[in-house]
Amino acid sequence: MACVLAGRTNSKMFSSPGRTERRSWIFVFFLVMCGTSIPVLAKPESLREVTDGDWEKILTGEWMIEFYAPWCPACQQLQPVWKEFADWGEDMGINVAKVDVTEQPGLSGRFIITSLPTIYHCKDGVFRKYHGARTKEDFLSFVDEQKWKSIEPISSWFGPSSFLMNSMSALFKLSMFIRRCHNYMTEQLSIPVWGSYVIFGLVTLFAGLALGLLLVFIADFIFPSRRFSSPDYYQKKQALEQARFIQRQDEDQEADAEEDDDDEEEDHDGDKDEVWRKRRGSPEGRPEPEDALRKRVVGSREEEDTRA
């Protein structure tokens, strides 16, 4: 009996280290599984991106925004400096963002980007254009020392929220859409360049005609003509035409009466002239004396006798 107990005791003693090692491995495995199951909170990106869809977020708070293009050499040189400046943005309480004008043509038109890179400072919806040096220290001092207060803000007429800039944004989007359509037709569909121009010209022509007709219909609907809107328009028109016809007839009759009066006056003047001639004894109307008449008759008879 003692031997059996001693054997069991020895077996437990020899088996305990193996079990302990197994439990330790299970515990380590459990910790690894728990660690992998817990989500790791990654550090948020310090450099933000602004798009056409969410650009209104820059109207609140303080922002420094860079407009760049991937193909621009100056923009490529500025990117590392701008990234370092963005890392300091959270500590300074400022949002640092970038805008790719090739991917966001609406923002390019909204801010009238004519040179690259272009940097804007925005404080609660008031925009100012940055013209200083492009180093991290200059950016930090520009924000920390509030040097942006010495720059005149952009007029509200040319602000990104104005009607004018909204129209420019839509125009830039349309131009980018046309460019993409042109590239698709020339590259994917193998249409000649002149063929693409002809297509766009015809589309523009028909679109202009359709828009013109639409505007005419809208104008007639909003501001209808008073003469056509009146129920007795055609009756008034007919009465007006009759009045004009009667007036024309009266004028013709008056003109005829005036002509008749003129003719009568001329005849009366002619009669007066004839009477005047007779009274003055003109060669045409003066009566000849009797002696002269007798002499003429005697002379004519002598001529006849001589001939006989």
Side-chain angles (χ1 to χ4, degrees):
M1 187 68 178
C3 294
V4 174
L5 291 174
R8 290 181 179 177
T9 303
N10 293 333
S11 63
K12 288 180 181 181
M13 291 177 63
F14 285 109
S15 61
S16 60
R19 290 181 180 179
T20 304
E21 185 178 359
R22 185 182 301 172
R23 289 176 181 176
S24 63
W25 281 107
I26 293 173
F27 181 72
V28 171
F29 180 75
F30 179 75
L31 289 177
V32 172
M33 292 296 296
C34 291
T36 54
S37 62
I38 297 174
V40 179
L41 298 177
K43 183 180 179 180
E45 182 66 23
S46 58
L47 184 58
R48 303 185 180 185
E49 291 188 5
V50 181
T51 62
D52 290 327
D54 61 355
W55 73 271
E56 293 182 351
K57 65 183 180 182
I58 66 178
L59 299 178
T60 57
E62 188 174 4
W63 292 76
M64 287 286 286
I65 311 164
E66 176 206 6
F67 292 85
Y68 75 100
W71 48 263
C72 174
C75 300
Q76 295 174 2
Q77 295 177 2
L78 181 61
Q79 290 309 305
V81 178
W82 195 252
K83 183 65 173 62
E84 294 178 2
F85 171 59
D87 294 338
W88 285 82
E90 185 177 356
D91 298 333
M92 301 182 65
I94 186 173
N95 302 299
V96 182
K98 62 180 180 178
V99 177
D100 186 356
V101 295
T102 60
E103 296 294 334
Q104 311 299 330
L107 287 178
S108 177
R110 193 178 295 276
F111 288 88
I112 310 296
I113 304 302
T114 57
S115 61
L116 295 173
T118 299
I119 299 173
Y120 275 95
H121 174 270
C122 177
K123 177 69 174 179
D124 296 330
V126 180
F127 291 85
R128 294 175 172 86
K129 196 171 183 179
Y130 178 81
H131 296 284
R134 298 170 183 175
T135 62
K136 183 184 71 175
E137 289 75 14
D138 292 317
F139 293 145
L140 292 174
S141 63
F142 180 80
V143 176
D144 187 36
E145 299 176 8
Q146 296 184 355
K147 294 181 179 179
W148 47 269
K149 291 184 177 180
S150 61
I151 301 175
E152 185 178 358
I154 297 176
S155 173
S156 59
W157 288 96
F158 297 97
S161 302
S162 64
F163 174 78
L164 179 61
M165 293 299 102
N166 284 325
S167 302
M168 291 298 297
S169 176
L171 182 61
F172 272 62
K173 289 181 180 180
L174 178 62
S175 63
M176 185 59 66
F177 174 75
I178 293 175
R179 180 179 179 182
R180 290 175 180 174
C181 292
H182 174 73
N183 293 335
Y184 176 77
M185 287 188 293
T186 55
E187 295 176 2
Q188 302 295 330
L189 302 180
S190 300
I191 297 177
V193 176
W194 63 267
S196 176
Y197 291 159
V198 170
I199 293 173
F200 281 117
L202 294 176
V203 171
T204 304
L205 177 62
F206 286 110
L209 293 175
L211 181 60
L213 291 175
L214 179 62
L215 293 177
V216 170
F217 291 150
I218 292 174
D220 289 339
F221 179 77
I222 298 176
F223 305 103
S225 179
R226 293 182 180 179
R227 59 178 185 177
F228 292 110
S229 60
S230 179
D232 54 347
Y233 164 72
Y234 293 102
Q235 296 179 359
K236 292 181 179 179
K237 183 178 179 181
Q238 186 176 4
L240 182 61
E241 290 179 353
Q242 291 179 355
R244 290 177 178 175
F245 180 73
I246 294 172
Q247 184 180 3
R248 194 179 300 111
Q249 285 183 345
D250 294 339
E251 292 177 355
D252 293 339
Q253 290 178 358
E254 291 178 358
D256 294 338
E258 291 178 357
E259 291 179 357
D260 294 339
D261 294 339
D262 293 338
D263 294 338
E264 291 178 357
E265 290 179 357
E266 290 179 358
D267 294 338
H268 185 65
D269 294 339
D271 295 338
K272 288 182 178 180
D273 293 339
E274 186 176 357
V275 172
W276 179 255
R277 290 194 194 98
K278 290 179 179 180
R279 289 180 179 179
R280 292 292 302 274
S282 62
E284 296 178 356
R286 185 175 57 193
E288 296 181 356
E290 293 181 358
D291 295 337
L293 181 59
R294 288 176 181 176
K295 290 180 179 179
R296 186 180 295 178
V297 171
V298 172
S300 60
R301 287 181 179 178
E302 290 178 355
E303 291 179 359
E304 290 177 358
D305 293 336
T306 305
R307 292 178 181 175

